[in-house]
């Protein structure tokens, strides 16, 4: 079917006569007449025809028209339609810059400034897009209390986020886990700083660095095809005007749980230079320092154990971006864009582990510093010729996760305890004297150090050929891309045990504990001062014994290097037939990968037998047809449909050829270099109606059929290794494999609207969306055994929440604004257990945030933001909802300060 579509589309497109001999080019810029801001997503149409273009983030448009006298009409939500008459000479370029006027009835409100202006930019782009997508503009992001890119994305229909210590980190689209999402900066993929995955933790990217965020839910042929859930494009800012634009913010805040303040600041400068504003320069920087923490308990059901966890963290977020662009003339321009982000996380974790089965209680301390940095550099050019346009770009991007130290120590007390989990909210225990540090003897201390690196080098080009078939305009576009990826992970791990003489814990006490833990329900006693223990270790090395075998195993198992080369090409056509737009084409991608790792063999006695270097490689090809329809029911209503093919590459942890066997237990885990990506056919249908007063109501259906779905399978009584000469038999081997199918079906509903049709509510607006999904996946049955290894069972897709939604009510007056926001996501399967009863689920959660601002002048605004006012915890259960195995509380935190635009 894929090849059939290819043979249908290419001849059809090539058969079109590229009749440009009697045509000219119109380009220009559309701005707001009052504040000179660019109007993004405005529609420019040759009156009486279907020949149209829409403006980009800079308010710029360009298209080919028939020579002669024509009328141009410009449309933009919240503004009056504007018509111009001009004469276009053949083979000539005409420049027409247009200043739009807001609708008179909206001038008394704030329709074209603040939140609604950002909403207008986003909705105009969304309305005119060829594919199904959602767009968030920078000033719309600023109206929600979302400090990083992940939290800004949680407001988009169909998006759920996974959190770490209460802050958004990973993004899931339409019920699919983060590994099915593609993340780009300025149109090009960025690497993941983390070692074993491809997806990017978006808490590292400050929202203040972004001009907009695009979420494409149906791919076009000129987009990377490895995005089954969707593709996220983070777009940085560029200079707009010859008038120097300086903006920024300065603020502080307070975290209620740890009782500490935070600090934030942002400053941006942008300006265009020269007589014709040919040179544009923009610099943007921000910094965020946050002290936070959490109170947590965790339960191990199988071993009947309880942990009390007290976290305190210091996180910083630094972002720097710049852009330089130069327009030689109206035909040729070059640009450079750069983004650097650095996220640091200093974590101190204090733990009690109650082990009634061993009559032991452990007291542990962790002190770890970790940084994640991402750099993305894009340079390219755009050219407009009389019969075609050309753009090309080169990109360098680098991601790194560096953990210079991860120090962990443990002490153990031989002490009985009794646990009671009858109260599902808070467990109870009896353990006399468990806070007495003198009862705890030294067990071990570990010093870890890791570094993960991921580098991308990319080059690409695109060519566009406009044409006409009768009175209908079209475009043929083709291009190619190459990308080379290098990823590596190194680890150093030294664990020392007691050779004799190390004092008990009371000799290494730290600072006094915080006054309350889990609202005073439990006493944590005086925590360990790990730095005191490290000082003692350095002064008394003869009392400690390095665990040489553990060191060798840990370092060999996790370290790896990987290389991946991707070559891609595409051809596509866009044809307008009156009110119907048809976009179709095909993309081809070839991937070649190679890996180096280690095989760790544990003998029958549980001792290390050998570490053997191993390597593996694979390659795969995808032909990805894409077909989109957009029918303009009215100038404000669209009906969309799409049929697309996409795929998702496996995570590196699944495909590196590392092997570990434990002969003592008769089990092994084996990587799978031959693991194939998950492929998918995606069906989409969407209706959307836009309100002229800036707003939207939409409803969509989608269905995704996944093939080669990856799951972890147990091969019973197998030979080890799986290939080559067997060194062991009768081993139960766990390996990620392909072979089972999965599907996900959903509905998306969204409403954004200012309530100005109700006189008493004319200054209020609502923002509502809801997504329902249902998924099915077949895996090897957890009841499978050697005699029925191929029996299957059906589960939900991991990471899929049945319900996800947002509700927000905002008041926007002339000087004062106030917003309350609810974010909800249903429960989802987090980990597939060895049995159905061992499956781990994250419970549903609802978080309420509030924000407000006061305009002191037209250029200075005071703001305040309150987050997690409902003190919504992270809650995890195993098997059934009554069996809670984790509850983690963060309390609320706030930010407040001043924003200015000079």
């Amino acid at each position: 079917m894929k090849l059939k579509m290819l043979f249908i589309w290419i001849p059809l497109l090539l058969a079109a006569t590229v009749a440009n001999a009697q045509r000219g080019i119109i380009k220009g810029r559309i701005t707001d007449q009052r504040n000179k801001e660019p109007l993004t997503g405005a529609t420019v149409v040759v009156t009486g025809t279907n020949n149209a273009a829409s403006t980009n983030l800079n308010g710029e448009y360009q298209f080919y028209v028939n020579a002669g006298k024509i009328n141009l009409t410009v449309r933009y939500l919240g503004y009056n339609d504007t018509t111009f008459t001009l004469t276009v000479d053949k083979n000539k370029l005409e420049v027409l810059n247009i200043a739009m006027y807001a609708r008179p009835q909206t001038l008394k409100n704030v329709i074209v400034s603040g939140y609604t202006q950002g909403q207008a930019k986003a909705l105009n782009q969304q309305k005119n897009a060829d594919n199904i997508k959602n767009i968030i503009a920078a000033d719309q992001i600023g109206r929600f209390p979302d400090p990083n890119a992940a939290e800004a994305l949680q407001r988009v229909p169909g998006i759920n986020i996974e959190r770490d210590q209460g802050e958004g980190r990973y993004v899931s689209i339409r019920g699919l886990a983060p590994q099915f999402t593609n993340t780009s900066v300025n149109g090009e993929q960025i690497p993941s700083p983390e070692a074993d995955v491809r997806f990017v933790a978006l808490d590292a990217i400050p929202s203040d660095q972004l001009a907009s965020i695009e979420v494409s839910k149906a791919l076009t042929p000129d987009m990377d095809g490895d995005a089954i859930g969707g593709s996220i494009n983070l777009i940085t800012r560029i200079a707009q005007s010859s008038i120097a634009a300086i903006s920024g913010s300065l603020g502080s805040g307070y975290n209620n749980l740890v009782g500490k303040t935070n600090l934030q600041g942002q400053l941006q400068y942008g300006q265009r230079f020269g007589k014709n504003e040919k040179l544009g320069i923009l610099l943007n920087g921000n910094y965020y320092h946050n002290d936070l923490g959490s109170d947590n308990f965790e339960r191990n059901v199988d071993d009947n154990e309880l942990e009390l966890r007290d976290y305190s963290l210091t996180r910083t977020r630094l972002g720097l971006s710049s852009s330089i662009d130069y327009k030689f003339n109206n035909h040729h321009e070059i640009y450079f864009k750069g983004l650097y982000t650095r996220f640091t996380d200093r974590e101190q974790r204090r733990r009690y582990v109650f082990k009634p089965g061993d009559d032991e209680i452990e007291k542990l301390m962790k002190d770890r510093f970790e940084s994640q940095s991402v750099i993305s550099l894009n340079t390219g050019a755009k050219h407009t010729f009389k019969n075609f346009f050309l753009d090309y770009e080169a990109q360098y991007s680098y991601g790194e996760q560096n953990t210079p130290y991860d120090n962990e120590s443990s002490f153990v007390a031989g002490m009985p305890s009794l646990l009671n989990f009858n109260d599902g909210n808070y467990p109870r225990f009896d353990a006399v004297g468990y806070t007495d540090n003198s009862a705890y003897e030294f067990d071990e201390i570990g010093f870890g150090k890791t570094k993960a690196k991921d580098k991308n080098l990319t080059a690409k080009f695109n060519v566009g050929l406009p044409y006409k078939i009768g009175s209908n305009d079209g475009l043929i576009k083709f291009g190619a891309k190459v990308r080379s990826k290098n990823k590596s992970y190194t680890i150093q791990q030294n664990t020392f045990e007691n050779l004799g003489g190390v004092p008990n814990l009371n000799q290494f006490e730290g600072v006094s504990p915080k006054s309350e833990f889990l609202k005073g329900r439990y006493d944590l006693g005086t925590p360990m001062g790990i730095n005191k223990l490290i000082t003692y270790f350095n002064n008394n090395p003869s009392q400690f014994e390095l665990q040489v075998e553990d060191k060798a195993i840990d370092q060999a198992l996790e370290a790896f290097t990987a290389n991946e080369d991707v070559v891609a090409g595409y051809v596509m056509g866009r044809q307008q037939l009156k009110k119907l737009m048809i976009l179709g084409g095909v993309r081809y991608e070839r991937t070649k990968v190679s890996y180096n790792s280690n095989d760790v063999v544990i003998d029958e006695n549980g001792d290390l037998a050998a570490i053997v270097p191993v390597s593996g490689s694979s390659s795969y090809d995808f032909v990805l047809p894409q077909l989109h329809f957009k029918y303009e029911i009215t100038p404000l209503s669209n009906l969309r449909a799409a049929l697309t093919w996409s795929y998702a590459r496996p995570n590196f942890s699944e495909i590196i050829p590392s092997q570990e066997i434990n002969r003592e237990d008769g089990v092994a885990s084996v990587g799978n270099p031959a693991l194939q990506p998950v492929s998918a056919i995606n069906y989409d249908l969407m209706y959307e109606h836009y309100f002229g007063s800036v707003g939207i109501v939409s409803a969509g259906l989608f269905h995704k059929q996944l093939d080669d779905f990856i799951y972890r399978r147990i091969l019973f009584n197998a030979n080890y290794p799986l290939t080559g000469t067997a060194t062991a038999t009768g081993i139960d081997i766990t390996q990620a494999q392909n072979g089972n199918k999965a599907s996900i079906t959903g509905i998306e509903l969204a409403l954004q609207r200012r309530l100005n049709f109700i006189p008493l509510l004319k200054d209020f607006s609502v923002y509502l969306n809801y997504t329902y999904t249902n998924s099915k996946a077949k895996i090897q049955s957890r009841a499978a055994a050697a005699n029925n290894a191929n029996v299957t069972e059906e589960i939900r897709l991991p990471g899929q929440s049945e319900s996800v939604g947002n509700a927000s009510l905002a008041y926007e007056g002339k000087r004062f604004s106030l917003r309350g926001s609810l974010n909800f996501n249903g429960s989802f399967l987090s980990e597939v257990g060895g049995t159905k009863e061992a499956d781990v689920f994250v419970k549903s959660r609802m978080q309420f945030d509030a924000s407000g601002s006061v305009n002191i002048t037209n250029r200075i605004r005071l703001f305040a933001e309150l987050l997690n006012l409902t003190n919504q915890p992270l809650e995890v259960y195993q098997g059934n909802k009554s069996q809670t195995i984790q509850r983690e509380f963060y309390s609320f935190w706030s930010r407040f300060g001043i924003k200015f635009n000079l």
Side-chain angles (χ1 to χ4, degrees):
M1 184 177 180
K2 297 178 183 178
L3 290 177
K4 183 178 179 181
M5 291 186 66
L6 174 64
F7 288 126
I8 290 174
W9 269 102
I10 292 180
L12 181 63
L13 295 175
L14 295 180
T17 302
V18 185
N20 281 336
Q22 302 299 320
R23 308 191 84 192
I25 307 171
I26 300 176
K27 71 183 304 182
R29 194 163 183 259
I30 300 177
T31 58
D32 179 274
Q33 188 274 339
R34 182 176 59 87
N35 59 23
K36 310 305 179 185
E37 287 288 321
L39 298 184
T40 301
T43 301
V44 187
V45 60
V46 179
T47 309
T49 75
N50 55 38
N51 190 6
S54 59
T55 57
N56 61 18
L57 284 173
N58 308 317
E60 298 169 338
Y61 70 95
Q62 172 187 305
F63 61 140
Y64 293 74
V65 299
N66 289 337
K69 187 176 182 179
I70 62 172
N71 294 322
L72 284 185
T73 299
V74 184
R75 301 190 182 103
Y76 193 80
L77 297 178
Y79 287 70
N80 289 315
D81 291 354
T82 306
T83 300
F84 296 85
T85 301
L86 72 159
T87 300
V88 180
D89 295 330
K90 65 179 180 180
N91 297 330
K92 299 290 185 179
L93 185 149
E94 300 289 339
V95 177
L96 179 63
N97 296 320
I98 300 170
M100 297 281 287
Y101 289 82
R103 294 181 176 177
Q105 68 267 27
T106 64
L107 289 176
K108 63 183 179 181
N109 297 320
V110 199
I111 287 294
V112 293
S113 64
Y115 165 70
T116 312
Q117 185 182 46
Q119 200 177 25
K121 290 180 179 180
L123 294 179
N124 275 284
Q125 285 180 273
Q126 189 171 311
K127 171 178 172 290
N128 294 316
D130 291 336
N131 61 329
I132 297 171
K133 65 170 57 173
N134 296 103
I135 298 174
I136 320 172
D139 36 6
Q140 186 180 359
I141 294 173
R143 296 288 159 163
F144 288 94
D146 302 325
N148 66 53
E151 296 193 357
L153 281 161
Q154 73 180 315
R155 313 295 176 182
V156 175
I159 285 189
N160 188 20
I161 61 173
E162 296 180 18
R163 298 175 182 270
D164 179 70
Q165 295 296 330
E167 294 189 318
R169 171 161 286 188
Y170 300 117
V171 175
S172 301
I173 301 177
R174 288 183 160 179
L176 292 170
Q179 57 263 36
F180 293 96
T181 298
N182 175 320
T183 302
S184 300
V185 170
N186 295 319
E188 275 308 315
Q189 288 190 32
I190 55 173
S192 170
E194 298 180 60
D196 57 346
V197 298
R198 294 179 179 274
F199 49 90
V200 180
L202 291 181
D203 56 351
I205 299 180
S207 57
D208 288 340
Q209 293 296 316
L210 304 176
S212 67
I213 305 176
E214 297 178 346
V215 181
S216 292
K217 296 175 178 176
L219 304 182
T220 54
D222 54 350
M223 300 173 63
D224 289 332
D226 54 338
I228 295 177
S231 180
I232 297 170
N233 187 23
L234 309 173
I235 302 173
T236 58
R237 306 176 184 187
I238 67 172
Q240 302 289 351
S241 172
S242 60
I243 302 173
I246 300 174
S247 61
S249 65
L250 183 64
S252 184
Y254 178 77
N255 185 288
N256 186 61
L257 185 72
V258 298
K260 293 183 178 180
T261 59
N262 55 56
L263 175 68
Q264 71 170 94
Q266 186 256 342
L267 184 64
Q268 175 180 291
Y269 162 77
Q271 189 171 6
R272 305 201 67 85
F273 299 90
K275 181 179 179 180
N276 295 315
E277 300 184 5
K278 291 185 175 182
L279 175 65
I281 297 176
L282 183 135
L283 302 171
N284 188 0
N286 76 293
Y287 179 78
Y288 182 41
H289 176 104
N290 188 19
D291 286 298
L292 65 160
S294 64
D295 292 353
N296 169 303
F297 76 79
E298 298 188 20
R299 175 188 178 187
N300 185 320
V301 176
D302 295 335
D303 295 331
N304 188 35
E305 294 178 0
L306 171 68
E307 290 190 31
L308 302 181
R309 296 187 172 205
D310 171 31
Y311 290 86
S312 60
L313 305 100
T314 298
R315 289 179 171 175
T316 68
R317 190 177 292 113
L318 171 68
L320 300 171
S321 64
S322 65
S323 70
I324 302 173
D325 65 282
Y326 185 80
K327 300 179 180 180
F328 295 95
N329 50 46
N330 290 319
H331 292 269
H332 308 287
E333 64 178 280
I334 59 175
Y335 63 86
F336 168 83
K337 297 179 181 180
L339 173 70
Y340 171 78
T341 67
R342 185 171 189 264
F343 174 83
T344 70
D345 184 7
R346 169 78 182 277
E347 175 187 303
Q348 294 183 311
R349 182 186 68 193
R350 293 160 286 273
R351 283 195 294 163
Y352 280 104
V353 183
F354 297 89
K355 298 182 174 182
D358 299 329
D359 282 338
E360 287 184 351
I361 301 176
E362 294 180 351
K363 192 165 185 177
L364 307 96
M365 175 70 184
K366 177 178 181 176
D367 185 8
R368 187 264 295 150
F369 179 85
E370 181 176 276
S371 68
Q372 287 190 4
S373 57
V374 173
I375 184 170
S376 175
L377 305 175
N378 302 60
T379 184
K382 299 177 181 179
H383 305 282
T384 302
F385 301 98
K386 66 178 182 180
N387 292 325
F388 69 95
F389 62 82
L390 166 69
D391 64 77
Y392 45 87
E393 184 180 273
Q395 186 227 32
Y396 168 83
S397 57
Y398 176 77
E400 179 182 288
Q401 178 173 284
N402 183 25
T403 306
Y405 64 87
D406 184 353
N407 303 326
E408 300 189 46
S409 60
S410 66
F411 286 73
V412 179
M415 186 179 297
S417 59
L418 182 64
L419 305 181
N420 185 330
F421 297 100
N422 292 333
D423 182 348
N425 291 323
Y426 296 99
R428 296 194 298 271
F429 62 87
D430 292 319
V432 178
Y434 76 94
T435 60
D436 181 5
N437 286 334
S438 65
Y440 290 84
E441 299 177 350
F442 174 76
D443 180 38
E444 66 178 29
I445 184 169
F447 303 98
K449 181 179 182 181
T450 65
K451 181 173 285 189
K453 300 179 181 179
D454 196 348
K455 180 177 68 175
N456 285 354
L457 290 173
T458 307
K460 67 176 181 179
F461 76 88
N462 301 285
V463 176
L465 302 170
Y467 66 88
K468 285 183 72 71
I469 298 179
S471 60
N472 296 301
D473 285 274
L475 174 72
I476 296 174
K477 188 179 177 184
F478 62 90
K481 174 188 288 188
V482 294
R483 181 173 66 243
S484 177
K485 174 187 285 290
N486 302 102
K487 193 174 182 76
S488 65
Y489 182 62
T490 57
I491 175 174
Q492 297 178 24
Q493 182 64 47
N494 296 306
T495 301
F496 296 85
E497 293 184 356
N498 191 356
L499 272 178
V502 181
N504 286 1
L505 179 56
N506 59 309
Q507 299 299 309
F508 305 106
E509 291 185 341
V511 297
S512 299
K514 59 185 180 184
S515 57
E516 284 193 349
F517 176 77
L518 286 172
K519 296 186 176 180
R521 288 180 172 85
Y522 309 104
D523 184 2
L524 292 182
T526 303
M528 180 193 314
I530 193 170
N531 288 334
K532 289 184 178 181
L533 178 60
I534 293 173
T535 300
Y536 183 89
F537 169 86
N538 292 331
N539 293 332
N540 302 274
S542 62
Q543 296 179 5
F544 298 85
E545 180 183 22
L546 175 64
Q547 303 303 293
V548 178
E549 187 172 289
D550 291 346
K551 172 184 173 69
I553 293 173
D554 291 341
Q555 295 183 174
L557 272 179
E558 298 188 47
F560 73 91
T561 61
N563 298 288
E564 179 177 272
D565 296 318
V566 179
V567 178
Y570 75 93
V571 60
M572 59 180 275
R574 182 188 186 279
Q575 180 64 54
Q576 191 73 38
L577 300 172
K578 295 185 178 180
K579 293 185 176 183
L580 176 65
M581 185 281 299
I582 305 174
L583 186 153
V586 65
R587 184 179 186 88
Y588 168 75
E589 293 193 5
R590 176 172 177 79
T591 304
K592 182 179 180 181
V593 291
S594 60
Y595 311 91
N596 292 283
S597 174
N598 295 288
D599 179 358
V600 176
V601 181
I602 308 297
D603 65 20
E604 293 87 343
N605 299 318
D607 298 322
L608 176 63
I611 296 175
V612 182
V614 293
S615 61
S617 64
S618 66
S619 61
Y620 45 85
D621 303 81
F622 278 94
V623 177
L624 305 168
Q626 321 284 18
L627 186 60
H628 297 258
F629 299 92
K630 182 175 75 169
Y631 183 76
E632 187 181 89
I633 302 172
T634 72
L636 294 175
S637 300
N638 292 326
L639 181 64
R640 300 176 181 269
L643 174 62
T644 59
W645 277 256
S646 56
Y647 69 101
R649 294 184 173 95
N651 284 321
F652 286 98
S653 59
E654 297 167 326
I655 51 180
I656 58 173
S658 60
Q659 305 183 89
E660 179 187 15
I661 181 171
N662 189 326
R663 293 176 183 268
E664 183 180 25
D665 297 331
V667 297
S669 62
V670 177
N672 189 355
L675 195 65
Q676 293 298 301
V678 182
S679 60
I681 304 176
N682 313 285
Y683 306 86
D684 288 274
L685 182 65
M686 176 73 72
Y687 169 78
E688 52 191 22
H689 174 75
Y690 296 84
F691 302 108
S693 57
V694 186
I696 182 177
V697 58
S698 65
L701 293 169
F702 61 88
H703 175 76
K704 297 177 182 292
Q705 189 68 45
L706 281 63
D707 200 4
D708 284 332
F709 179 72
I710 296 172
Y711 69 105
R712 301 192 70 80
R713 181 177 183 180
I714 300 175
L715 306 174
F716 296 96
N717 293 324
N719 292 335
Y720 178 89
L722 294 173
T723 59
T725 303
T727 60
T729 59
I731 305 297
D732 292 344
I733 299 176
T734 301
Q735 184 184 50
Q737 292 194 355
N738 297 115
N740 287 308
K741 296 181 180 295
S743 65
I744 186 165
T745 304
I747 180 172
E748 282 184 11
L749 304 172
L751 171 65
Q752 300 178 44
R753 184 154 195 195
R754 194 176 184 91
L755 303 178
N756 54 357
F757 58 93
I758 304 175
L760 292 177
L761 301 177
K762 63 183 178 63
D763 293 326
F764 288 84
S765 61
V766 293
Y767 184 99
L768 305 169
N769 58 62
Y770 172 76
T771 302
Y772 170 83
T773 56
N774 178 267
S775 69
K776 298 177 182 179
K778 286 187 176 181
I779 64 170
Q780 179 191 38
S781 173
R782 269 78 63 88
N787 59 350
N788 64 342
N790 294 322
V791 65
T792 63
E793 67 173 290
E794 190 172 271
I795 63 169
R796 317 167 45 173
L797 279 169
Q800 177 250 330
S801 291
E802 187 175 82
S803 296
V804 175
N806 289 277
S808 176
L809 177 65
Y811 170 81
E812 292 276 339
K814 293 182 179 179
R815 293 185 56 192
F816 174 74
S817 67
L818 184 65
R819 174 180 299 277
S821 304
L822 278 173
N823 176 259
F824 171 80
N825 62 267
S827 63
F828 61 87
L829 175 62
S830 176
E831 299 177 19
V832 179
T835 64
K836 184 176 181 180
E837 291 72 26
D839 286 346
V840 176
F841 294 83
V842 175
K843 287 187 178 181
S844 60
R845 72 184 307 277
M846 180 180 290
Q847 179 170 314
F848 179 72
D849 306 322
S851 58
S853 66
V854 177
N855 294 332
I856 305 302
T857 70
N858 290 334
R859 298 183 179 274
I860 299 176
R861 177 161 54 101
L862 300 179
F863 72 92
E865 300 170 349
L866 298 169
L867 293 92
N868 197 30
L869 289 173
T870 49
N871 189 24
Q872 182 66 47
L874 168 69
E875 296 181 284
V876 181
Y877 67 90
Q878 185 173 352
N880 61 80
K881 292 183 179 180
S882 63
Q883 189 165 263
T884 300
I885 62 170
Q886 181 180 359
R887 295 188 86 201
E888 185 169 271
F889 290 88
Y890 316 104
S891 190
F892 70 88
W893 56 98
S894 65
R895 297 190 300 163
F896 49 86
I898 184 171
K899 296 185 178 182
F900 57 88
N901 186 4
L902 305 180

